[in-house]
Amino acid sequence: MFKKVLIAEDHEHTNISVRKTLKDLGITQTEFRYYCDDALKLIEVAVNQEQPFDLLITDLSFEEDKNIQVINDGRALIKAARHLQPDLKVIVFSLENNVTVVDELFDGLDIDAYVRKARYDADDLKRAIDAVSNHKKYRSADLMRNKRIEKSYDFKAFDIEIITLLCNGTPQKNIPSYLQENNIKPSGLSSVEKRLSFIKTALSISSNEQLVAYCKDKKII
């Protein structure tokens, strides 16, 4: 897990929420800045002191005020930060919900995760941080890249049953017992694992948690 995190966010209530989320994950060494220029300066100082940040969490949009900035948006901050520290992990935390824009962030800036500010975004951010700390890419469930596959996937009753069990907190290894007790077939652990793997692959989803979030968001469960 990350030890040293920088938050670039110009809304105080969001800053507080993100810091609480980090604290819940046991990450206590955090810094936050309201302006991109200040965030970049902090990254530069940390690199020069050989105490670099592990992760940058940044918004895309920053409101202009009387403090004129050289760098005034998240994209420019990411580019400049990566110039100073190429291995810096980056999570974008933003209201933007345009899939094309998000794709461009992954393809053009090689960000590590995108979390959309929305309902349940604290849990979404936790999943993103966990994924990135394990060297995986992550994006919010409602912004999956392959929309054609997403729309064509037909959830079966069996799929909904096992995903609902996961949503209710049933460990994957215990699902077969429930299926057997309720005479639902197939009921073997191998069948459950293969089905979940198939669904996640079809939707370009990397974890059960993200699959549950996707299904809740789409009102499938």
Side-chain angles (χ1 to χ4, degrees):
M1 186 55 71
F2 300 112
K3 294 182 179 178
K4 188 175 181 182
V5 179
L6 172 61
I7 306 160
E9 167 62 58
D10 59 350
H11 289 168
E12 185 175 9
H13 66 89
T14 303
N15 250 315
I16 294 171
S17 176
V18 174
R19 278 182 283 162
K20 182 182 183 304
T21 298
L22 293 171
K23 186 176 180 180
D24 289 344
L25 291 172
I27 303 171
T28 57
Q29 193 173 358
T30 61
E31 295 284 350
F32 67 93
R33 292 295 184 270
Y34 295 114
Y35 298 99
C36 292
D37 285 354
D38 292 343
L40 183 63
K41 182 62 179 178
L42 201 58
I43 292 170
E44 182 179 17
V45 170
V47 169
N48 290 337
Q49 293 179 344
E50 297 184 352
Q51 296 178 334
F53 287 93
D54 302 313
L55 172 67
L56 167 66
I57 300 175
T58 181
D59 198 349
L60 287 179
S61 301
F62 290 77
E63 293 182 9
E64 295 184 4
D65 60 18
K66 62 182 180 181
N67 294 309
I68 305 302
Q69 302 294 300
V70 175
I71 298 175
N72 55 19
D73 65 60
R75 293 176 183 82
L77 173 60
I78 294 167
K79 289 179 182 178
R82 283 276 180 70
H83 179 74
L84 291 173
Q85 187 181 337
D87 63 345
L88 179 64
K89 297 291 187 181
V90 176
I91 294 177
V92 174
F93 187 40
S94 172
L95 285 168
E96 178 62 62
N97 64 355
N98 186 303
V99 176
T100 300
V101 172
V102 175
D103 284 346
E104 289 172 353
L105 293 171
F106 280 97
D107 297 337
L109 295 179
D110 194 28
I111 67 170
D112 297 281
Y114 186 94
V115 177
R116 190 167 74 89
K117 293 178 180 177
R119 195 172 299 164
Y120 310 118
D121 57 16
D123 288 337
D124 201 14
L125 184 58
K126 287 179 183 178
R127 289 190 290 269
I129 293 170
D130 181 66
V132 175
S133 70
N134 286 292
H135 310 291
K136 297 177 182 178
K137 297 286 186 177
Y138 181 94
R139 70 177 68 205
S140 292
D142 60 340
L143 292 171
M144 303 312 300
R145 183 179 192 121
N146 197 332
K147 292 297 180 182
R148 182 183 64 80
I149 294 177
E150 172 190 309
K151 291 177 181 177
S152 66
Y153 186 79
D154 181 22
F155 281 86
K156 309 299 182 185
F158 181 74
D159 303 334
I160 295 172
E161 190 74 48
I162 61 178
I163 295 170
T164 300
L165 288 168
L166 290 173
C167 179
N168 292 336
T170 304
Q172 182 173 306
K173 65 180 181 180
N174 294 343
I175 290 178
S177 297
Y178 174 89
L179 298 177
Q180 291 164 14
E181 290 171 3
N182 289 274
N183 199 30
I184 299 173
K185 297 181 180 180
S187 59
L189 180 57
S190 177
S191 296
V192 172
E193 291 174 341
K194 288 178 180 179
R195 194 62 191 170
L196 287 171
S197 177
F198 178 80
I199 298 169
K200 288 184 287 187
T201 299
L203 296 174
S204 300
I205 288 174
S206 61
S207 69
N208 287 347
E209 291 80 8
Q210 196 174 6
L211 176 59
V212 168
Y214 170 86
C215 290
K216 289 172 67 176
D217 185 74
K218 297 296 182 181
K219 296 181 172 55
I220 296 168
I221 59 173

